[in-house]
Amino acid sequence: NNTLCEGSTGQVYTTQPGNTNYLWVVPFPWGTITAGGGTADDNVTVTWNIAGVHTVTVNYTDGNGCTAVAPASLPVTVNALPDVIFNYSPLPGCSGTALNIQLFSNVPGTTFAWTATGSSANVNPQTVSGTGNITQSFTNTGFAIENVVFSVVPTAIGCSPAAPVLSNPVPIYPVPDLITSPANLTVCSNTQANVALSSNVLNTAFFWTATGGPGITPATITGIGDISETFQNSGIVPSTVSFSIVPTANGCGNPAT
């Protein structure tokens, strides 16, 4: 076989048997002789370590005591094993949002087949396969940060590494929920309204906008964190203030009202 992949083992080359003083030459370290190749051997077994175009040569002394002026040679093309380069930007991977992981290789023409595995049953889909760049979306149904690891098989000119290439763990961040305490509140005009905001997701920040109904001042106001605001009702009937609250954690927001 004179066209093969880098790292190929057990490649056997033979010449005419029944002669003496065999002289095999395999370029080292590109190729390593693992069997045969001695002065009495009409064959040699080679492991090809490094990509490139190499040459195996042999000469010998025949039954008449004659040796060729030049050895016989066989060119051997050893194709490189493709690597995988991951471009993880941009992250994060929020629950339900498609990832955009670009795959590259130093070997031109490389194609990629991958399988993703989630860190727990909270990742959906927990296992999925695809080809090319990774644009898969995953849902994190829990409140903790989960992750997905991609096992990628690169192929170029029929050559692939012996084992898949693993990505870094890619975080799948939960979208934070919203807990308001109390859920509803009734206060008098010019009395501070206090509502505590929390989430089951750690390190959640809260951004809110208040919109008042008829007669409410201020009509619109924004804030961060817990709600602690005073509103005036200049009318003669009750009116309401609605809060649009966006809880955000790890760059992932969840609009809620």
Side-chain angles (χ1 to χ4, degrees):
N1 187 4
N2 65 337
T3 301
L4 38 84
C5 299
E6 184 178 10
S8 294
T9 62
Q11 301 301 311
V12 179
Y13 303 92
T14 63
T15 189
Q16 286 82 1
N19 298 291
T20 59
N21 298 323
Y22 289 97
L23 178 60
W24 291 95
V25 177
V26 173
F28 181 84
W30 294 269
T32 302
I33 296 175
T34 58
T39 58
D41 297 319
D42 63 4
N43 63 83
V44 65
T45 303
V46 179
T47 293
W48 291 106
N49 305 309
I50 302 173
V53 179
H54 312 304
T55 302
V56 176
T57 66
V58 64
N59 208 340
Y60 54 77
T61 301
D62 67 14
N64 297 316
C66 298
T67 302
V69 174
S73 64
L74 176 71
V76 178
T77 299
V78 180
N79 293 315
L81 294 180
D83 56 349
V84 180
I85 302 169
F86 296 88
N87 181 2
Y88 298 97
S89 181
L91 284 178
C94 297
S95 176
T97 301
L99 297 172
N100 183 21
I101 301 174
Q102 304 293 310
L103 303 179
F104 303 94
S105 176
N106 287 303
V107 178
T110 297
T111 60
F112 305 94
W114 52 264
T115 299
T117 303
S119 55
S120 81
N122 289 333
V123 179
N124 185 29
Q126 191 172 14
T127 303
V128 64
S129 298
T131 58
N133 293 323
I134 299 169
T135 57
Q136 177 73 37
S137 62
F138 297 88
T139 301
N140 182 350
T141 59
F143 297 122
I145 299 172
E146 301 285 350
N147 65 70
V148 173
V149 172
F150 294 91
S151 176
V152 182
V153 178
T155 302
I157 320 178
C159 296
S160 297
V165 181
L166 299 181
S167 72
N168 294 334
V170 177
I172 307 298
Y173 295 108
V175 174
D177 59 343
L178 173 66
I179 303 168
T180 60
S181 180
N184 296 285
L185 180 64
T186 300
V187 295
C188 298
S189 179
N190 292 319
T191 301
Q192 192 173 67
N194 295 310
V195 179
L197 306 179
S198 61
S199 174
N200 286 298
V201 177
L202 294 176
N203 301 316
T204 297
F206 304 92
F207 305 87
W208 51 263
T209 299
T211 303
I216 295 295
T217 304
T220 302
I221 190 173
T222 60
I224 300 173
D226 291 338
I227 298 169
S228 181
E229 294 295 330
T230 300
F231 298 90
Q232 181 180 7
N233 183 354
S234 60
I236 58 174
V237 295
S239 191
T240 60
V241 177
S242 297
F243 290 88
S244 177
I245 305 168
V246 179
T248 302
N250 303 301
C252 302
N254 180 19
T257 300

